Amino acid sequence: MQREWMMPPAIGAGGAGFRARVLGRRQIEIGIALLALLPLALFVLYPLWTILRESLLHPDGHWGLDYYDLYIRDPHFRQALLNTLSVSFWATLATVVIAFGYAFALKRTQAPLKWLWHSVILLPLFAPSLIQALGVQFLLGRNGIVNRTLGTDFDIYGFWGILISNVLYGLPHAYLVLMVALTGADARLYDAAKMLGAGGLRQFLSVTLPGARYGILSAVFLGFAINISEFGNPMVLGGDYNVLATEIYNQVAGQANFHLGAVIGVLLLVPVLVSVVAEKWIARRQPPISAQATPYRPARSWRLDGVMLVFLGVVAMAIVAVMGVVIVASFMRLWPYNLSFTLQHYRLDVPGGYGALWVSLKMSLIAAAIGVVVATVGAMIVQRLSSRLRQVLYLASVVPAAVPGMVLGLGYVLAFNQPSIPVYWLYGSILLLSLCTVYHYHAQAFLIATTGLKQIDHGLQEASQVLGAGVLHTARHVTLPLISPAMASIGMFYFMHSMVTISALIFLVSPGTTPAAVSVLLLNDAGNWPQAAAFATIIMVTIVAVIGVAKALVWILGKARRSAVVPSSSSHVNHS
């Protein structure tokens, strides 16, 4: 049955009445589509337009490519561009290779303690990106524990520092993609390869790699998009090794040169846009698993399992060491010179103190609430629109995935710091920080909601409408209860990312609206590393605590609902 909006009463008979109904349905669809497009246009497309305009429009009113020409001719900027491409390429390559090995060990071997390895690699998702940079600095910096213990004097600042910290930050993202790619495997292919005499290496090259090729390519493009736009790690460990993300910050925040900042923003947007489009295109080409496929269960091999267990241990130890040293350093009086225990760094005796944490909590909770509504309603509208309008709104909804956080943040400065626009009152408020975060991560939240809607049996919605229920009644009593788990996931996704994001907000902060993650960066910039470590630890503990409470509430509510349903069903059976 074709899904339609609730039709208005017929206004005529015969052909005139039919045309009127079609026209009425079409007008309703267009009106709802425009209503859904309006916030996306205001908070995504308009800021992007202001960046493009700023990069092309001169103070005398003429348009041209002079700013781009100035940028390309400057050897300093060219070097920043080459540095960005170089470190992003090598970091992406290392990330995908390590993440593939990690996912392969968990999915295609009998290595023990898989739950532990899976949990460890996801740890970077619960912390600001620059915690990897802080950890690398504490371990491998000039005054790091390695140099002081071994008496060496190697320098981690620059290419290698950014590379290591970016790899650690990007690992969970690439790992999750590759886990999906390696989950589906047909045991019949491996049995056929064995019958033809293929050994373990031959099976890996002829069955495993071809089966995961789309996942590998998706991880490559996703990793490149993350690495090229990463801001926190280059700020801490970049030194004299300039990249585009730090250059755009220096031009805008340091020199108030918005024209060159906009040029760099456009240059940063292009490769990320290409990477995201390529990743989405490749992900769609991943063939589904055949209904006749036999699930693959890896046989025990002591040699392979042992090698992969060592590999899992080394990677997990690197992640734990880099993040753990930050927590340990936050309790040391003066890392690494005085390692006596103290809690003094948790007093946060800096301007603002714990105020930044309250700003982050308020901003993240608002972002979670708005994000759940925006993503869920947007996905529901897209699901019910006709094909052409659906494609337009779907494309607009996933566009933010291709916009680096710094570019979106700069767009917000250029777009909303204008007294002439009606929403100027938003500028400088926590609400604008929340909205910036909502639309920075809108594509991922929208896709979660879309996936949740696809899992609903459409027969339930159609039965509700056949019985006379309107669209709103069906949405409230059928659709929303069924996708409530996906909505809870969206809320936790937004809260977690709002607490740790830096790049999207770095241009929008003010003394009264500085989030905790940005405070970590500012404390590190001021050389106050122990308090930066303490603040980063507080952020991680807060995220884990809030998500733990949220999951407990979801579990309690689910249990209460099940308890209410069972007696009701029993009484109905007894009554019958």
Side-chain angles (χ1 to χ4, degrees):
M1 181 182 294
Q2 186 179 1
R3 296 187 297 275
E4 295 180 347
W5 297 97
M6 199 63 182
M7 297 296 296
I11 57 175
F18 175 75
R19 286 193 297 273
R21 287 196 297 273
V22 171
L23 182 61
R25 183 179 64 206
R26 187 71 177 167
Q27 288 171 337
I28 292 174
E29 282 199 355
I30 292 174
I32 292 176
L34 289 176
L35 208 59
L37 273 173
L38 184 61
L40 286 166
L42 179 60
F43 294 111
V44 179
L45 302 181
Y46 177 56
L48 292 181
W49 159 246
T50 60
I51 289 183
L52 183 62
R53 184 187 61 191
E54 191 74 14
S55 70
L56 296 172
L57 183 61
H58 290 255
D60 59 5
H62 85 271
W63 297 71
L65 297 171
D66 304 70
Y67 294 123
Y68 290 89
D69 184 60
L70 178 64
Y71 182 90
I72 297 299
R73 287 175 182 275
D74 191 321
H76 171 77
F77 292 141
R78 285 205 304 271
Q79 189 60 49
L81 179 60
L82 291 175
N83 290 346
T84 303
L85 295 175
S86 174
V87 76
S88 300
F89 171 79
W90 290 111
T92 301
L93 183 63
T95 302
V96 173
V97 170
I98 297 172
F100 183 84
Y102 208 93
F104 177 84
L106 294 189
K107 283 294 179 184
R108 301 297 170 89
T109 73
Q110 290 286 353
L113 301 175
K114 290 184 178 180
W115 63 270
L116 175 64
W117 311 124
H118 175 75
S119 303
V120 169
I121 200 171
L122 297 181
L123 285 178
L125 296 177
F126 294 87
S129 63
L130 58 80
I131 199 169
Q132 283 78 30
L134 284 177
V136 170
Q137 185 175 244
F138 289 153
L139 286 173
L140 305 174
R142 295 189 187 97
N143 292 315
I145 195 167
V146 172
N147 271 337
R148 289 182 64 82
T149 303
L150 302 179
T152 53
D153 189 27
F154 57 81
D155 188 1
I156 197 64
Y157 296 94
F159 174 85
W160 289 106
I162 299 173
L163 177 72
I164 295 172
S165 51
N166 277 5
V167 168
L168 293 172
Y169 175 62
L171 266 181
H173 302 275
Y175 161 79
L176 290 173
V177 173
L178 292 168
M179 278 290 279
V180 174
L182 289 172
T183 294
D186 191 347
R188 296 175 303 172
L189 297 176
Y190 287 91
D191 294 338
K194 285 179 186 175
M195 291 177 64
L196 294 173
L201 179 61
R202 184 78 176 185
Q203 291 177 39
F204 176 79
L205 295 175
S206 59
V207 179
T208 304
L209 276 183
R213 62 187 184 279
Y214 292 112
I216 294 171
L217 288 173
S218 291
V220 167
F221 285 107
L222 176 65
F224 188 79
I226 291 174
N227 283 312
I228 200 171
S229 58
E230 172 54 26
F231 169 69
N233 293 328
M235 277 297 290
V236 176
L237 291 173
D240 296 330
Y241 194 85
N242 290 325
V243 296
L244 289 181
T246 54
E247 196 59 41
I248 189 174
Y249 179 74
N250 293 333
Q251 290 296 326
V252 174
Q255 304 178 32
N257 192 339
F258 289 93
H259 293 295
L260 279 186
V263 169
I264 301 170
V266 174
L267 294 177
L268 199 56
L269 182 64
V270 172
V272 177
L273 180 64
V274 172
S275 298
V276 171
V277 171
E279 191 268 334
K280 298 296 180 193
W281 182 78
I282 291 168
R284 289 182 181 179
R285 298 184 69 83
Q286 178 74 38
I289 300 174
S290 168
Q292 288 77 37
T294 304
Y296 174 74
R297 289 185 174 79
R300 186 170 295 282
S301 166
W302 294 108
R303 188 170 58 180
L304 178 61
D305 295 349
V307 170
M308 298 315 296
L309 180 61
V310 172
F311 174 76
L312 290 170
V314 170
V315 176
M317 281 179 62
I319 295 172
V320 171
V322 168
M323 298 186 69
V325 74
V326 176
I327 299 173
V328 172
S330 71
F331 292 104
M332 300 294 108
R333 193 166 297 278
L334 183 59
W335 181 273
Y337 305 104
N338 184 348
L339 300 184
S340 58
F341 179 82
T342 181
L343 291 174
Q344 70 177 17
H345 307 308
Y346 285 86
R347 296 175 189 159
L348 295 181
D349 50 351
V350 294
Y354 276 96
L357 183 62
W358 302 127
V359 169
S360 275
L361 279 173
K362 282 193 282 187
M363 180 196 74
S364 302
L365 291 173
I366 294 172
I370 296 176
V372 168
V373 174
V374 168
T376 305
V377 173
M380 291 171 67
I381 291 175
V382 168
Q383 187 194 38
R384 303 186 69 87
L385 289 175
S386 61
S387 58
R388 185 172 299 176
L389 288 172
R390 180 189 302 173
Q391 290 172 359
V392 172
L393 190 53
Y394 182 92
L395 181 63
S397 299
V398 298
V399 159
V403 183
M406 295 201 70
V407 177
L408 188 63
L410 176 60
Y412 272 47
V413 174
L414 298 173
F416 299 116
N417 190 18
Q418 302 289 339
S420 58
I421 65 170
V423 291
Y424 173 66
W425 57 271
L426 280 173
Y427 193 76
S429 67
I430 292 179
L431 180 57
L432 187 64
L433 300 184
S434 301
L435 289 168
C436 184
T437 307
V438 165
Y439 286 98
H440 179 37
Y441 296 106
H442 181 272
Q444 294 88 338
F446 172 79
L447 293 175
I448 294 173
T450 301
T451 303
L453 287 171
K454 285 180 179 177
Q455 293 173 348
I456 296 177
D457 183 358
H458 293 302
L460 296 174
Q461 296 171 322
E462 291 166 358
S464 173
Q465 294 193 7
V466 167
L467 292 173
V471 172
L472 294 179
H473 186 88
T474 301
R476 181 182 173 189
H477 295 282
V478 178
T479 308
L480 290 178
L482 290 174
I483 64 166
S484 56
M487 294 170 66
S489 298
I490 293 171
M492 285 187 275
F493 168 83
Y494 266 122
F495 179 83
M496 191 169 69
H497 283 81
S498 301
M499 287 291 293
V500 301
T501 188
I502 297 174
S503 60
L505 307 178
I506 191 66
F507 295 127
L508 297 173
V509 298
S510 61
T513 59
T514 302
V518 177
S519 291
V520 175
L521 179 66
L522 300 178
L523 286 168
N524 183 75
D525 262 359
N528 197 342
W529 301 337
Q531 290 209 350
F535 226 146
T537 304
I538 292 171
I539 292 172
M540 286 189 287
V541 172
T542 304
I543 291 172
V544 172
V546 172
I547 290 181
V549 170
K551 287 197 170 184
L553 286 175
V554 170
W555 181 80
I556 292 171
L557 291 174
K559 187 178 180 182
R561 183 181 299 173
R562 288 192 295 273
S563 301
V565 169
V566 171
S568 173
S569 303
S570 302
S571 64
H572 178 72
V573 170
N574 293 335
H575 178 72
S576 300

